[in-house]
Amino acid sequence: QGSQGTESSAHTPLWIVQAMLLNVVYGHNHDDKATNDIAATHSAALVSLAQAAALQRPLKHDSSDINEIQTIDAEGNWNGGIKAESEEQAEWLRWKTMEERKRTLYVIFVLSSLLVACYNQVPVLTNSEVLLDLPCDEEFFAAESAAAFQLKGGVRAANRNRMTFHEALGELLR
């Protein structure tokens, strides 16, 4: 089962989860009831896709899931799986990939929470299923290059305020 879970996350790319997320958000914001109903059904499928992509569990910084970095070069050409030119660039791209995965899961969680609060729907993603740290400060994620990221302090600075979701929720409820 352990290897099967790794295989499924390798076959469910993040962009598919993000595309389904956009579909669900659009469906819930449309004024057609049939579209809303389809979006509600797709919410459960969205969480299944997130699980298949292993978004709910933190990845190790050197995980095989993110060692093959897919990049888009300055001209907009897709360079899937090409190794970064420098170790600094590779570190930034690995960190950015992990952060993107984390942020995608949190958007799904917020959407689920809004559907519970606004429409009294059953949550598609519960508090106990989120095992990740909170996203980092926006200034780090918005860095446009490895050099800009390193000028802000790099991975160490981005992780200085790390807090798990459960710690933050506990603090909020206290």
Side-chain angles (χ1 to χ4, degrees):
Q1 270 188 351
S3 66
Q4 187 178 5
T6 304
E7 273 184 39
S8 69
S9 69
H11 297 304
T12 306
L14 181 61
W15 67 266
I16 288 179
V17 179
Q18 293 169 333
M20 177 64 93
L21 177 60
L22 289 172
N23 186 28
V24 170
V25 168
Y26 172 77
H28 279 295
N29 287 299
H30 199 272
D31 58 358
D32 179 41
K33 176 151 176 40
T35 304
N36 293 145
D37 292 343
I38 291 169
T41 303
H42 285 176
S43 294
L46 175 62
V47 172
S48 294
L49 273 176
Q51 290 170 337
L55 295 186
Q56 294 167 295
R57 303 232 178 263
L59 291 179
K60 302 255 188 280
H61 189 68
D62 60 350
S63 169
S64 62
D65 291 338
I66 59 173
N67 276 341
E68 291 287 321
I69 300 169
Q70 298 173 337
T71 62
I72 297 177
D73 66 16
E75 292 83 37
N77 298 320
W78 179 252
N79 294 323
I82 293 177
K83 295 289 183 191
E85 291 179 15
S86 72
E87 190 57 39
E88 207 172 78
Q89 177 81 0
E91 178 184 44
W92 175 61
L93 290 172
R94 281 191 299 270
W95 177 85
K96 192 144 178 121
T97 299
M98 292 184 326
E99 187 69 17
E100 181 181 11
R101 293 171 54 82
K102 185 189 311 182
R103 286 169 178 248
T104 300
L105 182 72
Y106 275 106
V107 170
I108 295 169
F109 176 75
V110 168
L111 176 66
S112 172
S113 299
L114 287 172
L115 294 175
V116 169
C118 297
Y119 299 106
N120 198 26
Q121 290 186 2
V122 175
V124 293
L125 188 60
T126 62
N127 295 348
S128 63
E129 293 175 293
V130 180
L131 304 174
L132 302 174
D133 292 339
L134 294 178
C136 72
D137 294 338
E138 186 62 27
E139 69 179 288
F140 294 101
F141 189 67
E144 295 182 12
S145 67
F149 181 68
Q150 291 303 324
L151 281 174
K152 295 178 187 306
V155 173
R156 178 173 287 150
N159 291 338
R160 77 176 180 275
N161 294 330
R162 284 179 59 177
M163 180 181 277
T164 68
F165 171 75
H166 294 287
E167 291 169 345
L169 183 60
E171 191 66 29
L172 180 68
L173 295 175
R174 274 191 282 285

